[in-house]
Amino acid sequence: VSGATKGALQQLQLQAKLLGASLTPNSALLRFAGSANLTVEQVNKRRSELLTTFGLNVISIRPEPGAVVLAVERDPRQVVSIETLWSSWTPPQNGWGNQELLIGVRERDGSHLILAPSSLHAPHTLIAGSTGSGKSVLVQNILLAIAATNSPEQARIVMIDPKQGVDYFAFEDLPHLDGGIIDDQEVAAQRLAGIVQEMDRRYVLFRQARAPNL
């Protein structure tokens, strides 16, 4: 891929001095020396030509100091199993429970991708994407990471699934589930109302203790 991309850039009259290359599960990451004749903008304008003329699907282009990094789609994509991920993961021991969850690998360097609602990220997470993009697989990874690194006393999961739980049959007997998989609309509304009441109860305790958080 690196040789084909370098040759394609040169044919498009763009400078192509390759500084380094590495593979990720989805692409080949190619670092080219940046110059007045190779910028992010110039490569971005040629993405259609790179695809239609040279068969190179450039997934992303990003600037780095002194370099332009291209992510070129690899075929076939590598399947990353959760067993492979967890074999190189040591969950932190930060007291009561664990909130740093390994959910994948970073595209840019293959390092661990961590979801940490308690420190790195906001406590509320919206997962969005087109059909077949992997939303359910991601949610399953999050649930498994929670359950594998926390006891049922440390983590209670309220799972509401309007699709009758079809994506989560394997989780029905998970001891962390509070009330099983909820697929009834009225029950779901009652559970959400109860969670709001619990949230308000905790805020009262925070106020009485004159503390903003735990």
Side-chain angles (χ1 to χ4, degrees):
V1 175
S2 59
T5 305
K6 180 177 180 178
L9 292 174
Q10 291 173 339
Q11 289 188 51
L12 294 173
Q13 308 304 311
L14 295 176
Q15 182 177 322
K17 180 181 179 182
L18 185 65
L19 299 177
S22 60
L23 285 178
T24 74
N26 292 323
S27 65
L29 290 182
L30 309 176
R31 297 180 69 252
F32 290 96
S35 70
N37 200 28
L38 186 71
T39 65
V40 171
E41 291 74 18
Q42 289 169 334
V43 177
N44 196 39
K45 290 179 181 178
R46 300 300 185 98
R47 288 174 80 163
S48 294
E49 292 177 77
L50 288 168
L51 178 60
T52 58
T53 305
F54 302 98
L56 298 169
N57 184 15
V58 179
I59 300 173
S60 67
I61 311 163
R62 74 172 188 270
E64 285 187 356
V68 175
V69 182
L70 276 63
V72 181
E73 184 181 52
R74 59 180 289 189
D75 186 28
R77 296 169 66 185
Q78 177 188 359
V79 176
V80 180
S81 69
I82 196 167
E83 292 88 353
T84 301
L85 282 179
W86 284 10
S87 67
S88 60
W89 177 40
T90 302
Q93 302 296 324
N94 297 324
W96 178 255
N98 170 53
Q99 296 186 43
E100 295 186 16
L101 312 172
L102 176 60
I103 58 174
V105 295
R106 293 185 180 277
E107 181 67 22
R108 65 175 53 193
D109 57 11
S111 62
H112 286 171
L113 179 60
I114 299 292
L115 174 65
S118 63
S119 56
L120 299 177
H121 308 111
H124 309 98
T125 301
L126 171 66
I127 299 171
S130 59
T131 300
S133 62
K135 298 184 298 297
S136 294
V137 173
L138 175 56
V139 172
Q140 290 168 7
N141 280 3
I142 293 173
L143 291 172
L144 286 171
I146 292 172
T149 61
N150 294 276
S151 68
E153 292 74 28
Q154 293 169 329
R156 288 190 299 160
I157 299 173
V158 177
M159 182 183 294
I160 299 171
D161 185 8
K163 295 197 304 181
Q164 304 297 315
V166 295
D167 289 327
Y168 304 101
F169 290 140
F171 295 88
E172 285 183 320
D173 296 326
L174 197 67
H176 301 69
L177 281 192
D178 189 350
I181 299 176
I182 301 169
D183 54 22
D184 180 87
Q185 186 172 347
E186 292 187 6
V187 175
Q190 293 170 1
R191 292 307 306 272
L192 289 173
I195 291 173
V196 172
Q197 290 177 358
E198 173 62 16
M199 178 183 68
D200 289 338
R201 185 187 72 84
R202 295 182 183 186
Y203 280 139
V204 171
L205 295 177
F206 287 152
R207 185 178 61 191
Q208 291 174 347
R210 302 187 64 82
N213 52 50
L214 287 176

